[in-house]
Amino acid sequence: MADTSYDLIVIGAGPGGYVAAIRGAQLGMKVCIVERENLGGICLNWGCIPTKALLRSSEVFHLMHRAKEFGLKADGISYDLDAVVSRSRKVAGQLSGGIGHLMKKNKITVVMGEATIPSKGKVSVKTKKGTENLTAKNIVLATGARARELPGLEADGKLVWTYRHALQPPHMPKKLLVIGSGAIGIEFASFYNTLGADTTVVEVMDRVLPVEDAEISAFAKKAFQKQGMKIMQKAMVKKLDRAGDKVTAHIEVGGKVETHEFDTVISAVGIVGNVENLGLEELGVKIDRTHVVTDEYCRTGIDGLYAIGDIAGAPWLAHKASHEGVMVAELIAGNHAHPVKPESIAGCTYCNPQVASVGYTEAKAKELGYEIKVGRFPFIGNGKAIALGEENGMIKTIFDAKTGELLGAHMIGAEVTELIQGYVIGRQLETTEEDLMNTVFPHPTLSEMMHEAVLDAYGKVIHM
């Protein structure tokens, strides 16, 4: 009979879970990972990766329409939506298969099925063949999250979609409503708008991309509107009437309810943690608004039980989950672990233009009582940006005026999701403005704007 006892069982094979499993195995543990759907979780299969593949297709499509600007000719430009979607699914499939290879390489047992925790140190898994009962000294919950659905706005897969439907659309929207302007909503709005959908975005907060610095949000709004998007802020979709192939949205804005007709609606109003049917309440695990309550080391308060990633709360980001996975594995092994500092985790949104940030916004820094210095630098002042034909954007830095600590950095423009890591490293190393000003940035690169934005905060900017 197969041995079903392990040092570590991970429930959920997303970017938090599979990384925790791999690091645990590297540290000499006998590891089992349980997954009910696809290795790689939502991120690799239905989130981060396939959306980036779709957005890459729309980006190339957009550039093709700009061919004349670059001295090129391109006639009869069009797209095949089925082929675009097929490519994104192939990319997701390739990476999911790669996770399977990593499991084998690290001798990790993979059990496909639905897991519950009947008691401390025990995991019961319902598989296609029956029920498997496993035991472990340590269990890591990495079950992730799913799309939040509001009453009256539930998805049906035909007229009203979640992100899953939007990744495999039954049709190309002609008139699209996106509810919510966070990263998920804006990325899909950007994709479908670029392909020609008449796109309206409704945001309940007072600005789009509400977690970003207000200046970046305002810049983004102007860019989206220039691309033809309609932006409704401080607005709420109260009801959706579905009839035939049309949806009538009742939208409250300015104290009045307006009605607008669409053929497709994408609901992107946040996520809820997958905490149900795991047996957590019976174990005494504390749950707050569908998320497991943990300390900075992802400990649940139940000996040997940890929770990482989206199920453990904000920020709901794959890279945060992966770091927590490594941290928990190190902690279980008795090694020194580095807890996540939420304010040092970068957030990236892959719309057009891209948005990226780390640390405090200007408003938050002021709220916390900091005396600040703020620097800005526009893409139009950078040679590489002009050469690329990407002059639309800016970089903003925020420093503690007393200590020179980099409190926050906020970017909008081409490839800023690749640039932000420079500032992330700066925060991790507790870099001051002097360190950054004395760093030599290569020319010609977009990264020079990062340097100039620091110089501007101290009145030393060169190219502006």
Side-chain angles (χ1 to χ4, degrees):
M1 186 174 179
D3 185 7
T4 57
S5 62
Y6 298 89
D7 298 310
L8 171 63
I9 295 175
V10 181
I11 302 175
Y18 84 74
V19 169
I22 290 173
R23 188 64 190 133
Q26 290 173 341
L27 291 167
M29 300 178 208
K30 183 184 177 185
V31 182
C32 173
I33 192 164
V34 181
E35 171 56 47
R36 66 181 179 183
E37 191 173 3
N38 303 111
L39 294 178
I42 293 297
C43 179
L44 264 66
N45 295 281
W46 298 103
C48 320
I49 299 302
T51 55
K52 302 310 151 308
L54 292 181
L55 286 160
R56 177 58 173 165
S57 291
S58 66
E59 179 185 16
V60 173
F61 184 65
H62 174 68
L63 282 172
M64 290 170 71
H65 280 87
R66 296 178 58 196
K68 190 175 180 180
E69 294 177 35
F70 299 93
L72 306 173
K73 292 183 179 180
D75 299 319
I77 301 166
S78 63
Y79 63 86
D80 179 339
L81 185 59
D82 289 341
V84 169
V85 171
S86 177
R87 176 180 179 272
S88 78
R89 301 315 307 157
K90 287 178 182 176
V91 170
Q94 179 181 341
L95 288 169
S96 181
I99 302 303
H101 168 73
L102 289 172
M103 296 299 101
K104 291 178 182 178
K105 177 185 175 183
N106 289 281
K107 297 179 174 59
I108 297 166
T109 300
V110 177
V111 178
M112 301 301 293
E114 290 267 1
T116 58
I117 306 174
S119 60
K120 181 181 171 183
K122 295 184 179 180
V123 176
S124 178
V125 187
K126 289 185 179 179
T127 71
K128 290 181 178 179
K129 296 180 180 179
T131 300
E132 290 194 34
N133 295 308
L134 316 172
T135 61
K137 299 173 185 175
N138 300 282
I139 298 171
V140 174
L141 298 168
T143 53
R146 63 187 183 277
R148 181 186 299 277
E149 292 196 277
L150 300 179
L153 310 182
E154 295 91 351
D156 55 35
K158 296 178 181 178
L159 300 176
V160 183
W161 303 346
T162 64
Y163 61 86
R164 284 209 180 202
H165 307 118
L167 282 166
Q168 289 187 303
H171 60 266
M172 173 62 197
K174 293 179 180 177
K175 196 169 183 183
L176 171 67
L177 169 63
V178 177
I179 308 174
S181 72
I184 295 172
I186 281 296
E187 285 184 2
F188 280 120
S190 190
F191 171 72
Y192 283 108
N193 187 73
T194 300
L195 294 188
D198 180 357
T199 304
T200 298
V201 177
V202 171
E203 172 56 52
V204 70
M205 303 296 284
D206 61 354
R207 54 195 173 88
V208 293
L209 296 170
V211 302
E212 300 296 340
D213 185 89
E215 200 169 347
I216 299 298
S217 290
F219 195 111
K221 179 184 175 182
K222 288 181 181 178
F224 298 150
Q225 289 175 324
K226 189 176 180 180
Q227 295 166 17
M229 280 192 212
K230 299 175 186 68
I231 307 292
M232 300 177 70
Q233 298 171 157
K234 292 185 180 179
M236 181 182 293
V237 178
K238 305 294 288 185
K239 186 172 67 166
L240 297 175
D241 292 331
R242 313 170 204 210
D245 58 357
K246 300 293 181 185
V247 180
T248 300
H250 298 255
I251 304 171
E252 184 179 323
V253 57
K256 297 180 180 179
V257 176
E258 304 175 358
T259 58
H260 298 266
E261 196 172 85
F262 303 91
D263 64 15
T264 310
V265 177
I266 297 176
S267 179
V269 290
I271 61 174
V272 293
N274 293 321
V275 295
E276 304 91 349
N277 306 316
L278 288 165
L280 301 184
E281 294 86 350
E282 291 79 3
L283 289 171
V285 175
K286 292 182 181 178
I287 297 173
D288 180 27
R289 288 172 290 180
T290 78
H291 294 91
V292 174
V293 177
T294 67
D295 66 8
E296 63 177 342
Y297 291 100
C298 296
R299 295 176 293 208
T300 64
I302 307 300
D303 188 41
L305 183 64
Y306 304 81
I308 64 174
D310 287 355
I311 194 179
W316 297 284
L317 299 166
H319 41 291
K320 172 254 196 183
S322 294
H323 182 89
E324 288 177 335
V326 171
M327 178 192 71
V328 166
E330 296 285 354
L331 194 65
I332 291 170
N335 298 335
H336 178 64
H338 297 271
V340 168
K341 297 178 182 178
E343 67 275 10
S344 291
I345 300 292
C348 298
T349 305
Y350 300 81
C351 47
N352 178 25
Q354 292 182 6
V355 175
S357 61
V358 66
Y360 301 129
T361 63
E362 182 177 351
K364 186 64 176 179
K366 289 178 178 177
E367 179 189 321
L368 292 172
Y370 287 101
E371 181 184 337
I372 62 174
K373 287 184 177 290
V374 178
R376 301 172 180 84
F377 195 81
F379 272 50
I380 192 66
N382 177 262
K384 180 66 177 295
I386 294 171
L388 290 173
E390 299 289 356
E391 304 94 335
N392 187 36
M394 68 170 287
I395 293 179
K396 178 177 181 178
T397 56
I398 302 162
F399 290 89
D400 183 339
K402 295 180 179 178
T403 66
E405 178 189 358
L406 175 64
L407 298 174
H410 308 274
M411 307 174 167
I412 182 167
E415 302 304 326
V416 296
T417 57
E418 300 293 338
L419 296 177
I420 193 65
Q421 188 62 17
Y423 287 134
V424 174
I425 293 170
R427 280 186 57 80
Q428 182 66 26
L429 298 179
E430 300 181 352
T431 302
T432 65
E433 92 290 351
E434 186 176 357
D435 298 320
L436 291 167
M437 286 194 283
N438 291 334
T439 299
V440 180
F441 286 71
H443 174 80
T445 64
L446 297 176
S447 70
E448 290 175 280
M449 293 183 288
M450 298 170 66
H451 192 216
E452 294 273 19
V454 175
L455 293 173
D456 184 58
Y458 289 85
K460 298 180 181 181
V461 67
I462 300 297
H463 293 98
M464 186 171 67

